[in-house]
Amino acid sequence: MNRNVECRRRFLRDLGIGTAALPFLTGLRSLGATGTVPHHETSPKRLVIMFSPNGTLPDEFWPDSYEAKRGDQRGDDVNRGLQLKPMLKALEPFRDQTLLLKGVHNQVGGDGDNHMRGMSCLLTARQLNPGNIQGGGHTPAGWASGISIDQEVRNFFQAQEGTRTRFGSLEFGVAVPDRADPWTRMCYAGSDRPVAPIDDPEQMFQKMYGGAQDRKTVASVLDHVRDDLSKLSQQLSASDRHLLDQHLQNVRQLETQIAAASSESELVHPEPDIDPNIELVNDNTPDISRMQIDLLVNGLANDLSRVATLQFMRSVGQARMRWLGIDEGHHSLSHEPDGDEQAHQKLRRINAWFAGELAYLAKRLSEIPEPGRPGETLLDNTQIVWLNELGKGNSHTLDDIPFLLVGGGAGFKTGRAIDCGGVPHNRLWMSIAHGLGHQNLTTFGSPEFCHDGPLKLS
């Protein structure tokens, strides 16, 4: 068991405080520790991977210029900084903390169609196992044949006393249909071991905060632990009292939102999957998205986990985003030719909405001080990776996967765009793992794509 957790439990037991309060206290350093982290200790590292489906619009996503490579004499591209296209304008407040990577390809190949390989090989960087799941005119395939990068980093953190957390990782979903196949799963604990996201905020809330007692007999998780937390508050430093109060306010607000959502029949989610090709996404998906993001941020802030994934919809998803004034299915729109301006405009609105959700996630992380690290926020020590299973929807290309990174968790130099020139995405995952402290990772996914080592992004 983590020595810090054991010491905290003993400290709480001596105060007569029950273990039900533990989920609210794991991030507080004054429980038997100093209020600040010694300067020789490194900041905590976190990883958040956010997925949106069906490719992007290259002309609206990629910038007009890139930072020149070493030895490249194209001076016009040097030191110009990152220029975001209008579709990504929601990320403008975080431009200096953003890194855009073009020329990163999913090269693993193998069985299955490109949507299947794009989705289930995206985080695993290795081929699908043989199987009988038939894709769009290609050879059938099965689940991924290896662990995904989020679970690899999770296992690395959980293997060490100083980085172990209660959950290890949290997998959030938004409008993920109630089905299991290579188009709906991107996280894998190992070969043939898909990890399903939780796309019901109430179910995720129960997992994070409600496990100590049946919620049906308790009006609120906070009501159950209020006396204990009040007693404990007197033992905390001023900064930790502020963090605890802020966290409790956030949890109370989430409880209220989730209770309101559960009381409205139109919020039943996901809606029945009438046909694999037709998904009627609930009109309250934007509210559900924000609740999931708030839960994710709370989980990181309270050190319940240092790894999280946020999956919007699925590959080949026909989400009908009526809140954007769009009735057509997303996947169908992504197949329209480049010259279809009406489809282009709708796809621009869809991808701009995803960028806005990413911006909200970054903003929430940037508003929370890093416990014990004066002047730092959670975003400074969290690596967010926004990605897609395809580079471009109507061509089904696995080249130029849109990788957009926000935050300082991996220690990369940000505020720039780089054209990596066609490297396997295995190398990017190695770079991120190394940046998060997993330096002993010498290959990831298919070893034949790792010979040149991690990308140099610092």
Side-chain angles (χ1 to χ4, degrees):
M1 179 182 291
N2 187 325
R3 186 184 307 166
N4 292 333
V5 172
E6 178 59 32
C7 290
R8 184 178 292 111
R9 286 180 173 170
R10 186 164 53 249
F11 180 80
L12 296 175
R13 186 176 62 244
D14 291 344
L15 287 174
I17 291 171
T19 57
L22 270 176
F24 303 95
L25 307 175
T26 48
L28 304 180
R29 295 188 174 275
S30 56
L31 296 182
T34 60
T36 59
V37 178
H39 288 296
H40 67 274
E41 291 188 18
T42 60
S43 299
K45 302 293 185 182
R46 306 178 188 88
L47 174 65
V48 177
I49 296 175
M50 173 178 147
F51 168 85
S52 59
N54 297 324
T56 190
L57 295 172
D59 59 328
E60 304 277 357
F61 185 87
W62 301 115
D64 294 327
S65 62
Y66 298 86
E67 180 173 288
K69 299 176 183 177
R70 292 179 182 177
D72 194 329
Q73 300 303 312
R74 294 176 299 170
D76 289 345
D77 288 346
V78 180
N79 298 324
R80 290 185 60 180
L82 175 61
Q83 302 299 314
L84 296 172
K85 291 290 186 72
M87 190 176 77
L88 303 179
K89 68 178 182 180
L91 294 167
E92 189 63 33
F94 307 100
R95 180 167 53 87
D96 291 342
Q97 293 167 284
T98 296
L99 175 62
L100 257 172
L101 298 175
K102 190 180 182 183
V104 180
H105 302 344
N106 178 349
Q107 299 180 355
V108 300
D111 293 338
D113 66 28
N114 276 18
H115 276 288
M116 295 168 68
R117 285 188 278 126
M119 186 70 179
S120 282
C121 303
L122 183 62
L123 304 188
T124 63
R126 61 185 304 137
Q127 293 184 3
L128 301 177
N129 280 320
N132 60 3
I133 304 173
Q134 182 62 55
H138 294 261
T139 53
W143 298 112
S145 61
I147 193 170
S148 54
I149 189 64
D150 58 301
Q151 296 300 298
E152 174 71 31
V153 173
R154 173 202 183 278
N155 292 347
F156 169 72
F157 285 160
Q158 292 299 90
Q160 301 176 84
E161 183 177 297
T163 55
R164 192 176 304 138
T165 58
R166 181 181 178 191
F167 294 109
S169 65
L170 292 169
E171 292 75 36
F172 294 81
V174 177
V176 179
D178 188 17
R179 51 185 287 184
D181 52 44
W183 296 281
T184 66
R185 298 292 183 263
M186 66 177 184
C187 301
Y188 286 82
S191 180
D192 286 329
R193 296 175 62 194
V195 179
I198 296 175
D199 76 340
D200 180 348
E202 184 173 11
Q203 184 181 351
M204 181 60 82
F205 188 91
Q206 293 266 17
K207 175 176 179 176
M208 293 170 63
Y209 297 110
Q213 191 166 342
D214 186 354
R215 290 288 304 283
K216 293 180 181 179
T217 63
V218 181
S220 164
V221 170
L222 297 184
D223 291 340
H224 182 54
V225 298
R226 180 191 294 130
D227 291 343
D228 279 352
L229 295 179
S230 177
K231 183 190 303 182
L232 178 66
S233 180
Q234 306 306 314
Q235 308 295 324
L236 300 177
S237 67
S239 61
D240 274 355
R241 277 199 302 273
H242 175 74
L243 286 173
L244 178 60
D245 289 343
Q246 184 179 57
H247 183 64
L248 294 178
Q249 289 174 14
N250 290 338
V251 172
R252 176 69 80 186
Q253 182 178 11
L254 279 167
E255 277 197 317
T256 302
Q257 292 172 342
I258 291 169
S262 299
S263 68
E264 298 179 21
S265 60
E266 68 268 22
L267 287 181
V268 175
H269 179 78
E271 296 182 25
D273 199 8
I274 301 170
D275 183 286
N277 297 316
I278 300 175
E279 292 160 20
L280 304 176
V281 173
N282 191 279
D283 292 344
N284 290 285
T285 293
D287 293 332
I288 293 170
S289 173
R290 294 298 170 94
M291 283 190 279
Q292 292 287 68
I293 291 172
D294 286 343
L295 279 167
L296 187 159
V297 171
N298 273 5
L300 298 183
N302 211 37
D303 211 25
L304 299 179
S305 174
R306 296 190 180 185
V307 176
T309 53
L310 177 62
Q311 178 183 331
F312 285 92
M313 295 87 181
R314 67 171 177 103
S315 179
V316 203
Q318 285 284 40
R320 298 169 188 272
M321 302 185 186
R322 296 185 290 252
W323 64 92
L324 299 176
I326 299 172
D327 292 323
E328 297 92 336
H330 184 192
H331 181 239
S332 296
L333 284 170
S334 74
H335 271 246
E336 297 299 335
D338 292 346
D340 188 331
E341 183 57 29
Q342 189 175 42
H344 192 95
Q345 292 286 349
K346 292 177 179 179
L347 289 169
R348 179 188 294 135
R349 293 208 301 274
I350 289 172
N351 283 282
W353 183 77
F354 286 128
E357 297 309 283
L358 173 61
Y360 178 74
L361 169 61
K363 178 176 181 293
R364 292 283 287 108
L365 289 170
S366 72
E367 292 170 342
I368 300 178
E370 183 68 73
R373 307 289 300 191
E376 295 181 9
T377 71
L378 262 61
L379 184 61
D380 293 325
N381 301 311
T382 300
Q383 189 60 67
I384 306 174
V385 183
W386 178 27
L387 40 62
N388 201 297
E389 90 275 26
L390 299 175
K392 190 167 181 280
N394 59 11
S395 64
H396 291 95
T397 180
L398 297 178
D399 291 343
D400 288 328
I401 300 295
F403 281 99
L404 188 150
L405 283 60
V406 183
F412 299 150
K413 179 183 175 184
T414 55
R416 58 180 180 155
I418 303 174
D419 189 339
C420 298
V423 300
H425 76 306
N426 307 63
R427 296 182 60 198
L428 173 58
W429 291 137
M430 291 173 64
S431 299
I432 289 174
H434 284 204
L436 295 170
H438 195 359
Q439 299 284 340
N440 293 329
L441 189 69
T442 56
T443 65
F444 182 75
S446 300
E448 61 267 30
F449 298 115
C450 304
H451 295 313
D452 293 326
L455 300 177
K456 294 178 171 51
L457 300 174
S458 300

